[in-house]
Structure formats: C-alpha cells, structure tokens
C-alpha cells in the first residue's frame, strides 16, 4: 500500500480560492468558494495533518495538475466531467459509498432530489441520511453534491464557501432548471 504523503495546494479561479489536499495522485479534500487565500488555507487546516505546501502546479503529480486545470476550466464555464477522477472511499460506510458513487453519476446540467438518490442507494426513507453524506462530502465538484436538491427543485444546503449562494451559482452555470435561482447571478 502506498504511503500517504499529503500535499496542500491553493489556487484561485472564477469560483474563488480553492484548497486541494492530496497525495501523489489522489485528491483527498477540496474546499472552494473562499474570498481569499487565507480562507482556503484555514478551511484545509483542520484536515491537512502537516501537509507540505506545493508552491506551484509543477510540484503536483501530472494527474493532479490536470485536475486543477479541469477545475479552472469548469469555473470558467466549460463543461467538465470529473467521474474519471480517482477518489478514495475507504473512510465511508457502505451506504455512504453507494450514495457517493450514485451522486458521481449525476451529469453536468442535471439534478437529483435527496429522496431519489436515497431510493437509488437502497434506502427509500433515507433522504436525510443522503443529506448528511452530501454535507460531509470531502470532494465537491468531483462528487457533485451541488446537483442534489430538495424535493421540488429547491436548494437544500451546501457546505462549500458561500453556502447555498455558491450552489445556486454552480447550478446556474450548468443551466439547470431549479425553481428558486436568483435572477441576479
């Protein structure tokens, strides 16, 4: 089994400041939507476990450099599909793994309701449990929890920087028909 050698990388794009915590080839945590570099760093601080800072993208392994480029492209409004990005699910229980895998199948421009996702995961009454899995999502965008909405297309919650306003922005970017999108985005 490979040794986990954490790296921390901070970068800015149209969705604000991002923080990426990764090993040599796999992202372990992404935080975004922060107005400043310090906000992204602080959001990662409780999880980085002594990670070494990577000063520029050249210090990242090729798959992670590619991921950063794809995130920047997504933030600039280009359609991106992150389903091929390798992620670790070892920290999750079986139900949470099913939910994460099913969430990753929700494509750009689509949404799914918490209850629908719960039914697909084999727990018809598990909408709240799905909400908890989404709230604890370590890899937003790669696991597109912003595409999971409440019944009737309302927002529900979002734990990325900026909260529900960021979720609205992402869905508007993806041109999803959600009932309570603001007109001033």
């Amino acid at each position: 089994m490979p040794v986990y050698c954490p790296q921390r990388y901070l970068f800015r794009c149209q969705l604000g400041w991002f923080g990426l915590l990764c090993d040599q080839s796999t992202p372990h945590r992404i935080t975004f939507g922060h107005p400043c570099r310090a906000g992204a760093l602080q959001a990662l601080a409780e999880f980085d476990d002594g990670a070494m800072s990577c000063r520029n993208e050249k210090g990242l392994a090729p798959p992670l450099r590619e991921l950063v480029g794809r995130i920047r492209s997504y933030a600039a409004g280009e359609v991106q599909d992150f389903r091929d990005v390798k992620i670790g699910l070892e920290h999750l229980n079986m139900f949470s793994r099913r939910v994460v895998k099913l969430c990753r199948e929700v494509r750009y421009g689509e949404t799914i309701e918490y209850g629908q996702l719960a039914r697909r995961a084999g727990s018809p009454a598990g909408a709240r449990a799905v909400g908890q899995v989404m709230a604890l999502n370590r890899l937003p965008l790669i696991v597109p929890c912003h595409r999971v909405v409440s019944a009737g297309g309302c927002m529900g919650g979002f734990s990325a920087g900026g909260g529900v306003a960021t979720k609205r922005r992402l869905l508007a970017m993806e041109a999803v028909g959600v009932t309570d999108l603001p007109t001033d985005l």
Side-chain angles (χ1 to χ4, degrees):
M1 182 168 205
V3 176
Y4 176 62
C5 230
Q7 285 184 299
R8 173 181 51 229
Y9 180 62
L10 303 174
F11 63 98
R12 186 175 181 202
C13 62
Q14 284 93 329
L15 292 173
W17 278 91
F18 275 70
L20 170 64
L21 186 64
C22 55
D23 62 20
Q24 300 302 336
S25 62
T26 307
H28 292 277
R29 186 166 298 273
I30 293 175
T31 181
F32 74 98
H34 304 285
C36 63
R37 184 181 188 282
L41 184 60
Q42 183 176 356
L44 280 183
E46 66 183 279
F47 308 106
D48 75 6
D49 214 16
M52 301 295 293
S53 286
C54 186
R55 301 250 181 250
N56 60 48
E57 280 180 47
K58 291 180 182 176
L60 294 173
L64 297 167
R65 278 197 308 267
E66 178 187 334
L67 175 61
V68 169
R70 289 169 66 186
I71 289 171
R72 284 191 165 124
S73 294
Y74 173 85
E78 294 179 27
V79 176
Q80 288 291 324
D81 181 350
F82 297 106
R83 289 179 294 166
D84 63 320
V85 176
K86 178 185 159 199
I87 63 172
L89 302 176
E90 303 80 28
H91 64 286
L92 299 174
N93 65 35
M94 293 309 280
F95 173 75
S96 297
R97 286 179 188 190
R98 283 193 308 270
V99 169
V100 165
K101 287 177 181 179
L102 290 165
C103 181
R104 291 190 81 192
E105 293 175 10
V106 180
R107 295 178 184 269
Y108 187 102
E110 297 177 355
T111 60
I112 189 169
E113 293 178 359
Y114 293 100
Q116 292 173 313
L117 193 51
R119 284 188 294 282
R120 289 184 186 177
S123 183
R128 285 182 185 260
V130 167
Q132 284 299 308
V133 173
M134 296 296 97
L136 298 173
N137 180 15
R138 295 178 177 188
L139 296 166
L141 301 184
I142 295 171
V143 178
C145 55
H146 64 282
R147 296 178 187 152
V148 184
V149 297
S150 296
C154 295
M155 287 292 114
F158 196 55
S159 58
V164 173
T166 300
K167 184 173 185 170
R168 283 188 179 108
R169 182 177 177 189
L170 295 174
L171 292 175
M173 245 175 51
E174 294 183 12
V176 175
V178 177
T179 59
D180 63 349
L181 283 177
T183 57
D184 61 342
L185 286 178

